[in-house]
Structures are given as structure tokens and as C-alpha cells.
Amino acid sequence: MGYKIFVSYKYQDHDVAKLEGGKNQTPRDYVDYLKKISFSGDDVNKAEIANEDYSGLTDEAIRKCLAKKIWDSSITLVLISPNMVDLAQAEKTQWIPWEIAQSLKTRTKIAKRTLPNAIIAVVLPNVSGKYNYFVNYWKYIDQNNQQHLVRNISVNRTFKIIARNMFNLKEPMVDFVSGKKVYHGNSSYITVVEWNKFIKNMDYYFKKAIAIRNSIADYNLSEKLD
């Protein structure tokens, strides 16, 4: 089954690992890789294409173009990169938060009502090929002497609108281990996955994100822009 996919990313972030065959060592190389190699023949890319020129358009005109693409997609991929957040600017003035907010809206057009997009946060490797600027793992042993691997997501390293839509299941399954809160199951509306895992089994993550979207009433969504 194919999907219409919108990709949100920060073009000018040079702190990502160089992708084989890439030209710029930026997230754009990863977008090009997805379009040329990984998306199936049935998938439709709704992100900007290489020959699109927005340079002569106002921000409002660009927003209208992007909003149409987001509305016509069912999944938003947001590429997490080390310097995606510009701390010197308000979030509401930056493109990625705006695109996420648009992706989370319920829209009605010509009597047709659509759900918000499913959202997948794909974590890109940094210049050292590591993901630990955003995702870390730690182990613990339960009372039955069973070892568990727990993933820690650094939500403080991304935009607030993304962070607010993680760990937002209304009735999560939670344990406390050594004073740390451990969530089980699909506790976040935004699915997080590292790039190397995502490209090996994209269809699995697409289906997972759509399944979460179809259970949208179980989550507290936030479209708020700071």
C-alpha cells in the first residue's frame, strides 16, 4: 500500500553524517535518498522537489503551497538533526514547527473531513554517525531477573510542539525504575526511530504510525506554537 508523504527538515544543518552519494552533507541528502531509493513505487512524495523555486515568494505564499501538500498527505516525516532548532528565534517563526502544527490539524475541504497526519520523527546520525544527541539506551533488570533495554528520548533537544506530542497517550502504561519513569507500548503520537532502522523497514513504521493515527482519540494532541 502506498502513502502520500510530506517531509519536514532543516536544510542548513551540516552536523549530520555524510550520506554516501550525498552532495551537501545536510538533511536534504537524506530527503533525496528517500525519493530516489527508498520510497516504493506507490508512495508519493509531497515535499518540495529539487526544481521548485520559492525564492520569489512571500512567506505567506510559501505557507499556502506547503499547506496544500501537507493537506494532501497522510504521513509527515520530520527529520531530527542536531541543529534543527534555532534558539535565537521563536518557534512560531521557524518552518518545522509550523509544518508540524499544520500536520496536526483536522481539515475540511469540499465537505471532506480528514484526520491529522500520522507523524514519524526520523533521527538522523550526527557527524560522528551517532544518534545519542537525541536517543540513548539503558538497561535494567526486573524482579524476575529479566533484562530490559529502555530507550531514552531527549525531548528537550527538539521543538516544543514535537515534545508535547510525545509521551502524550491519555492512559499510558508506566513503571518506575530507579526513580525513572518507563513508558510501555505506543505512548507517543509521534513515533521516533533512528534513520538506520527506518530505512531497513519503512513500511513497518508507516503502518505503525497510521495505526496510531487511527487511534487518535487516545492521545492528547497539541497544535500550539510558542
Side-chain angles (χ1 to χ4, degrees):
M1 178 181 177
Y3 301 97
K4 291 183 178 181
I5 301 160
F6 181 86
V7 185
S8 179
Y9 64 101
K10 184 173 183 177
Y11 186 92
Q12 293 296 337
D13 189 344
H14 297 279
D15 284 339
V16 296
K18 182 173 176 56
L19 195 61
E20 185 176 354
K23 299 177 181 179
N24 305 304
Q25 195 174 339
T26 68
R28 181 56 193 243
D29 288 340
Y30 291 81
V31 177
D32 291 340
Y33 179 94
L34 289 171
K35 289 191 294 184
K36 294 176 181 177
I37 298 174
S38 294
F39 286 160
S40 76
D42 293 332
D43 294 326
V44 179
N45 172 53
K46 303 301 293 186
E48 65 176 290
I49 55 179
N51 61 358
E52 282 183 318
D53 184 7
Y54 289 155
S55 60
L57 300 180
T58 64
D59 283 354
E60 185 59 31
I62 294 172
R63 287 191 180 96
K64 288 181 180 179
C65 291
L66 294 176
K68 288 180 181 179
K69 293 185 176 187
I70 294 169
W71 183 86
D72 195 35
S73 61
S74 55
I75 298 174
T76 295
L77 297 184
V78 54
L79 303 187
I80 304 293
S81 59
N83 298 314
M84 66 186 297
V85 179
D86 186 344
L87 298 176
Q89 296 187 44
E91 287 195 8
K92 61 185 177 182
T93 67
Q94 299 180 57
W95 286 107
I96 293 176
W98 181 85
E99 290 166 348
I100 298 302
Q102 291 297 309
S103 298
L104 290 168
K105 292 183 182 298
T106 299
R107 294 172 293 274
T108 303
K109 186 176 182 180
I110 313 178
K112 181 180 179 182
R113 185 174 182 272
T114 64
L115 290 172
N117 281 10
I119 303 180
I120 305 173
V122 180
V123 185
L124 303 184
N126 63 15
V127 289
S128 300
K130 304 294 185 181
Y131 300 93
N132 57 6
Y133 70 93
F134 197 74
V135 178
N136 288 278
Y137 292 86
W138 56 280
K139 298 177 182 178
Y140 79 92
I141 298 175
D142 65 21
Q143 58 187 4
N144 297 317
N145 207 35
Q146 297 294 313
Q147 182 172 278
H148 301 269
L149 187 64
V150 179
R151 184 174 62 163
N152 182 69
I153 299 172
S154 299
V155 295
N156 61 321
R157 294 294 303 273
T158 189
F159 293 105
K160 292 177 183 178
I161 190 171
I162 294 177
R164 282 194 288 263
N165 289 286
M166 293 179 180
F167 306 108
N168 61 333
L169 185 66
K170 292 177 180 177
E171 297 182 6
M173 294 183 291
V174 178
D175 284 333
F176 288 88
V177 179
S178 299
K180 298 179 181 179
K181 187 181 289 188
V182 177
Y183 291 84
H184 299 275
N186 296 325
S187 58
S188 299
Y189 185 76
I190 297 180
T191 297
V192 177
V193 58
E194 297 96 313
W195 168 261
N196 59 345
K197 296 177 181 177
F198 177 68
I199 59 173
K200 288 179 180 177
N201 200 354
M202 292 175 60
D203 197 54
Y204 166 79
Y205 291 102
F206 289 157
K207 289 179 179 177
K208 177 180 179 180
I210 290 293
I212 291 173
R213 194 272 299 268
N214 290 341
S215 300
I216 197 168
D218 295 336
Y219 294 85
N220 290 310
L221 297 193
S222 174
E223 303 171 19
K224 180 183 177 183
L225 285 175
D226 291 20

